[in-house]
Amino acid sequence: MKSNSIASMIAGVGLALASVFAAGHAEARTLRFSHTDNPGGSRDKAAHVFADKVKEYTKGELTVKVYPSGQLANDPKAIEQLKLGGVDFTVSATGSYATDLKTLNLTALPFLVDSYEQGWALYDTSPWMKAQFAKLPAKGYRMLATWEAGFRSFTTKGPLNSPADAKGKKMRVYPNDMLRWTMEAIGFDTVVMPVTEVYLAIQQGTVWGQENPVDTIKSLRFYEVAPYITLTRHIYSPLPMAISENTWQSLSDDEKTAVQKAADDAATYSRELVRGSEEKQLQEMEAAGATVTRPDIAPFRKAADAVYTRARAEYGDDVDALLSDAAKIRKEMPAN
């Protein structure tokens, strides 16, 4: 009887230990972060800062695996995967999310802000922007923080000194009304394609050029095939970071707090990195053979005026609500 009792006790302890071990491992989760930046680019660096902070703030209960270069999906497909649960996080230009909320197209209105600080204030404090982001959980994901990419400018196969140089040339765009209308107003014919296909498309002559922030131009090496960099800064193009709503709802309150804090930390890192790196990146691209020009912006601004009229006809009062928020910020925070 005694030996049976001891055996039962040992078995019970073993089961208890196994249960604790299994429970501990069940709590540890790996979440997937998809983006289209190359390894070492600013988005990739910020994604790894986020991953490190999530691990730190959750004491290892959550880990984040980063998949760069569109390994899991290009930008539109990654956003679809957020809704389906195929990925847990992604980061992309605001307009990329407009397939689910059309009004987000308006964030790509030309010449909304003139400085990084104005752009940060717009995304962090604008009542219109907050109202749009509040609608996204119902679409299958939510915004955690806004990372930085910068102001969009052109890389082309030939000089682009004024809108006259754009006439009849093919320009790559992503699916966004404001961007497409701005390119058409300047004089381009537009071609929609994922950013992961752009380098080869320029190389093969399918398009004459593309437009993106300096950081993206450098990271994806567009200057190699379209060596004329024209700094029009025509659209402010930051990168809201999103989490799948299914993933968010599966987190405990403590995990939500940790993930949000990690996203905010990564946003601060991203903003400081991109703003601080822009001039150095331009110098590096010039040293590699690119030609950087800062044209007279007035003709580009004048051409883009038509976009506001077109936007009001399509989007109504949302246009002036966003323009009002942007105008207030520009007045309170004049660009240097």
Side-chain angles (χ1 to χ4, degrees), residues 137-152:
K139 306 294 184 180
Y141 50 87
R142 67 176 58 216
M143 300 307 190
L144 292 180
T146 302
W147 296 6
E148 189 57 85
F151 288 83
R152 302 180 81 89

Side-chain angles (χ1 to χ4, degrees), residues 152-155 171-172 179 183 209-213 234-235:
R152 302 180 81 89
S153 289
F154 292 101
T155 49
M171 176 60 55
R172 176 266 171 179
L179 178 58
M183 296 301 102
Q210 65 85 48
E211 50 78 64
N212 255 303
H234 48 274
I235 292 171

Side-chain angles (χ1 to χ4, degrees), residues 18 36-37 42 52 66 73 81 130 141 144 150 180 196-198 223 231 258 284 294-295 302 307 315 318 335:
T36 55
D37 196 13
S42 70
D52 290 343
V66 178
Q81 286 298 311
K130 288 183 176 181
Y141 50 87
L144 292 180
R180 179 168 54 84
T196 48
E197 298 176 12
V198 173
Y223 64 93
L231 299 177
E284 290 172 349
R294 292 172 169 81
K302 183 177 180 181
V307 178
Y315 291 87
D318 278 298

Side-chain angles (χ1 to χ4, degrees), residues 278-328:
E278 189 171 277
E279 284 303 317
K280 181 181 178 183
Q281 289 173 331
L282 289 169
Q283 292 169 7
E284 290 172 349
M285 289 188 285
E286 282 187 299
T291 299
V292 177
T293 59
R294 292 172 169 81
D296 179 7
I297 299 301
F300 292 95
R301 283 184 179 271
K302 183 177 180 181
D305 283 345
V307 178
Y308 293 92
T309 301
R310 195 169 178 179
R312 286 188 178 95
E314 180 74 20
Y315 291 87
D317 293 341
D318 278 298
V319 176
D320 288 312
L322 174 57
L323 292 178
S324 176
D325 287 353
K328 181 180 179 182

Side-chain angles (χ1 to χ4, degrees), residues 110-220:
F111 303 108
L112 268 180
V113 295
D114 302 315
S115 70
Y116 282 105
E117 290 79 7
Q118 290 176 3
W120 299 342
L122 182 68
Y123 273 74
D124 293 347
T125 68
S126 158
W128 182 88
M129 194 76 68
K130 288 183 176 181
Q132 306 316 302
F133 284 176
K135 299 173 184 178
L136 291 175
K139 306 294 184 180
Y141 50 87
R142 67 176 58 216
M143 300 307 190
L144 292 180
T146 302
W147 296 6
E148 189 57 85
F151 288 83
R152 302 180 81 89
S153 289
F154 292 101
T155 49
T156 53
K157 295 175 76 77
L160 179 62
N161 297 315
S162 73
D165 295 326
K167 188 173 178 59
K169 305 290 197 315
K170 291 183 178 180
M171 176 60 55
R172 176 266 171 179
V173 296
Y174 65 86
N176 178 278
D177 287 348
M178 300 309 109
L179 178 58
R180 179 168 54 84
W181 295 348
T182 299
M183 296 301 102
E184 291 170 355
I186 290 171
F188 288 110
D189 296 331
T190 57
V191 179
V192 176
M193 69 175 63
V195 72
T196 48
E197 298 176 12
V198 173
Y199 187 101
L200 186 60
I202 297 173
Q203 193 174 50
Q204 294 179 339
T206 305
V207 294
W208 188 63
Q210 65 85 48
E211 50 78 64
N212 255 303
V214 168
D215 182 77
T216 304
I217 292 168
K218 176 70 164 55
S219 174
L220 299 184

